[in-house]
Amino acid sequence: AKLAAKLNPAYSVLDKQTPYKDATTYNNFYEFGTDKSEPAMYAGTLKTRPWTIAIEGEVRKPMTLDIDALLKLAPMEERVYRLRCVEGWSMVIPWIGYSLSELIKKVEPTGNAKYVEFVSLADKKQMPGVGSRVLQWPYTEGLRIDEANHPLALLAFGMYGEVLPNQNGAPVRMVLPWKYGFKSAKSIVKIRFVKDQPRTSWNLSAANEYGFYSNVNPDVDHPRWSQASERRIGEDGFLSRKRKTLMFNGYNDVAPLYAGMDLKKFY
Amino acid sequence: MPTTKQISWIKGAVFVAALIPLARMAYLTLTGQLVDPLEFITRGTGDWTLYFLTITLAVTPLRKLSGWNWLIKLRRMVGLYTFFYGFLHFMTFLWFDHFFDLAEMWKDVLKRPFITVGLIAFVLLIPLALTSTNGMIKRLGGKRWQWLHRLIYVIAPLALLHFWWMKAGKHNFNQPILFIVIIGTLLLMRVWWATRKAAQ
């Protein structure tokens, strides 16, 4: 189904967009299987309506919002973001949504809200991959509150002019273009504001490989491969070198969030 | 026991069948059906190296259990295909991953044990491939040739370790465990036969 939105050029890159087919058939969404072709094959069973997000924890106005209320919460923007996967490939995707900060304003976090935790749906009946021992379920991700409030942090409902396909995290997900893709939780059912840094699924699974911050950083290697370069899906083929990965995936606006931090230590 | 003619037919069939995985990878890539052909080829060539290594190691136990001694006539070819797919796997790494930047490649090899181990396994395959001809067997002498080719007992664990570490990031150990069990069994059968022979 179509999802109307106005392009926000300030938050859009001019890179060539990844073909829709590639962006919707090559996915990491382990709730539907670990193979990148599996989400497109098995995500049909996901029921995206009715859908609610429970917002709780250190907020003055905890609330449960259903998907229709969320869709109307703020004006929809289209933003063309680069997406860099921790595995060394990248895409360019036109997302539709609004800054998470719009939602945060509504619930009025207290002074104790230092972090935000995102919890994805984990329903074995709809998601055949839940129950595999690859990760702890439900899939959990987190941000520091200032990261969550950064205007680039997008609460997304659509892509390529349409509502999100199930395999891309329908009906609502995060998109954090300066972090590796796995930081952007899909099919979110709960957002919690908390005092302490939340444990995240990939960090629990392999702490030395996946840090809490996981900012795109060409100078900090993954233990098993270099992060200095990447393959742009659909573009970088056999006859070209891989392209250089940019610090914060090219989103230098976020640099002040990490001023004074040793990013090798806080990877 | 098949006749000499039948065996050459079987050999021909195995030779062609062993090229099917390569043909499939080439077809899917050239027809643009893969989102990420480079990852597919890296995985595919690695997987088939392991499959052929396993088949190579299975020849002797299978021969002993079944009494089909003619199977030994297929072993050289299967072994060479192990090397062939291993070579393609290495070339994928050198070409697609590093675009022939040897200095970069070397840095990667030294820094990442998972790659170090894979490369050692491949390098150890080279002398085996080079000495696979009848002429080399004669020149080395059967005993020495056999000792050299026992390198496969070093290569197999290294290949398994490489595979294990590759899958470790995603805690996806089903396949590595399966191959450790299969190859482990194939090696233990040899130990069993060797100790029985020594006892006699």
Side-chain angles (χ1 to χ4, degrees):
Chain A
K2 293 261 176 270
L3 185 59
K6 201 163 157 257
L7 179 73
N8 182 341
Y11 291 132
S12 291
V13 294
L14 298 173
D15 305 34
K16 193 173 149 224
Q17 290 177 20
T18 302
Y20 178 82
K21 188 179 160 268
D22 291 353
T24 53
T25 56
Y26 193 73
N27 307 101
N28 279 322
F29 196 172
Y30 280 21
E31 284 83 340
F32 297 102
T34 52
D35 199 283
K36 279 193 262 296
S37 58
E38 284 177 326
M41 292 192 281
Y42 304 126
T45 47
L46 178 67
K47 264 183 64 189
T48 57
R49 264 168 203 271
W51 190 279
T52 55
I53 295 188
I55 303 159
E56 49 186 56
E58 299 288 347
V59 289
R60 283 187 194 92
K61 294 183 178 167
M63 53 179 85
T64 299
L65 290 169
D66 85 347
I67 190 69
D68 292 305
L70 283 161
L71 283 162
K72 278 181 260 168
L73 190 115
M76 285 289 166
E77 293 177 14
E78 178 171 70
R79 299 181 184 183
V80 185
Y81 278 169
R82 282 187 284 266
L83 164 77
R84 170 65 155 81
C85 178
V86 70
E87 296 168 344
W89 51 268
S90 62
M91 294 187 182
V92 180
I93 296 177
W95 300 103
I96 297 170
Y98 48 77
S99 293
L100 178 69
S101 59
E102 301 281 352
L103 178 70
I104 297 177
K105 268 194 305 206
K106 291 267 191 295
V107 297
E108 299 178 18
T110 69
N112 282 334
K114 305 279 190 240
Y115 294 90
V116 186
E117 184 185 69
F118 303 90
V119 182
S120 300
L121 181 72
D123 179 359
K124 262 191 195 173
K125 277 184 267 155
Q126 305 179 54
M127 300 170 137
V130 172
S132 83
R133 285 173 305 167
V134 181
L135 288 173
Q136 284 189 24
W137 312 103
Y139 192 86
T140 306
E141 258 306 334
L143 294 171
R144 233 169 42 198
I145 188 85
D146 56 339
E147 297 180 306
N149 264 316
H150 195 281
L152 278 168
L154 186 74
L155 191 66
F157 302 86
M159 60 196 272
Y160 296 86
E162 313 226 344
V163 297
L164 285 172
N166 289 358
Q167 64 269 32
N168 292 81
V172 53
R173 64 171 292 172
M174 284 302 299
V175 181
L176 304 156
W178 73 95
K179 292 177 178 284
Y180 294 120
F182 70 88
K183 285 297 292 179
S184 300
K186 301 184 178 88
S187 304
I188 296 170
V189 291
K190 192 183 287 184
I191 300 178
R192 293 177 63 220
F193 292 77
V194 292
K195 226 163 78 183
D196 301 313
Q197 182 175 303
R199 296 304 309 263
T200 61
S201 287
W202 275 109
N203 187 255
L204 282 166
S205 155
N208 63 325
E209 302 195 7
Y210 310 100
F212 176 77
Y213 286 94
S214 287
N215 292 316
V216 176
N217 189 338
D219 302 323
V220 177
D221 287 346
H222 185 278
R224 283 175 293 126
W225 57 84
S226 158
Q227 294 290 26
S229 60
E230 67 199 50
R231 282 192 314 273
R232 183 66 53 83
I233 297 296
E235 277 189 70
D236 295 345
F238 296 88
L239 301 173
S240 57
R241 240 168 226 282
K242 294 195 284 185
R243 67 186 65 202
K244 292 252 175 283
T245 289
L246 306 170
M247 186 65 207
F248 299 124
N249 205 16
Y251 294 92
N252 287 317
D253 282 5
V254 300
L257 293 172
Y258 311 105
M261 280 175 69
D262 178 359
L263 295 180
K264 281 203 161 65
K265 196 172 155 216
F266 298 100
Y267 57 92
Chain B
M1 166 106 186
T3 63
T4 316
K5 198 168 169 199
Q6 279 167 331
I7 284 177
S8 47
W9 272 102
I10 294 169
K11 272 180 152 176
V14 172
F15 181 84
V16 173
L19 286 170
I20 291 172
L22 177 65
R24 178 169 169 268
M25 281 184 261
Y27 173 77
L28 290 174
T29 303
L30 296 172
T31 52
Q33 294 185 50
L34 300 166
V35 178
D36 193 349
L38 306 186
E39 192 210 17
F40 184 82
I41 292 170
T42 307
R43 294 280 164 94
T45 50
D47 286 346
W48 280 98
T49 308
L50 184 63
Y51 302 157
F52 279 109
L53 178 67
T54 309
I55 300 170
T56 311
L57 285 169
V59 170
T60 295
L62 207 60
R63 185 169 64 96
K64 290 204 176 172
L65 292 175
S66 67
W68 299 347
N69 280 320
W70 56 273
L71 284 174
I72 198 74
K73 291 182 189 289
L74 298 172
R75 190 174 65 177
R76 168 161 50 196
M77 186 161 53
V78 187
L80 279 170
Y81 266 115
T82 310
F83 174 74
F84 176 67
Y85 279 96
F87 175 73
L88 293 177
H89 189 55
F90 169 72
M91 282 308 291
T92 315
F93 172 68
L94 180 59
W95 183 357
F96 304 144
D97 228 41
H98 291 89
F99 217 73
F100 301 105
D101 187 337
L102 289 177
E104 267 303 307
M105 187 195 91
W106 200 237
K107 265 198 337 214
D108 237 16
V109 167
L110 294 179
K111 207 168 155 187
R112 294 173 226 290
F114 132 82
I115 297 175
T116 321
V117 165
L119 186 72
I120 294 172
F122 171 66
V123 168
L124 291 179
L125 277 174
I126 296 172
L128 306 198
L130 290 178
T131 56
S132 65
T133 60
N134 289 338
M136 284 307 289
I137 298 172
K138 276 212 190 84
R139 265 171 65 184
L140 283 170
K143 265 268 168 317
R144 257 185 297 168
W145 182 90
Q146 201 180 18
W147 267 108
L148 177 65
H149 280 248
R150 283 183 180 143
L151 267 180
I152 198 76
Y153 303 139
V154 179
I155 293 165
L158 290 174
L160 288 172
L161 187 60
H162 175 69
F163 191 47
W164 178 275
W165 270 337
M166 196 272 287
K167 294 281 186 186
K170 295 197 170 177
H171 291 239
N172 233 338
F173 293 119
N174 294 347
Q175 280 185 48
I177 289 170
L178 177 68
F179 278 92
I180 287 170
V181 169
I182 296 173
I183 291 181
T185 309
L186 294 173
L187 297 183
L188 281 176
M189 286 163 97
R190 289 171 162 83
V191 174
W192 165 249
W193 280 314
T195 49
R196 261 208 337 192
K197 205 171 156 192
Q200 275 167 13

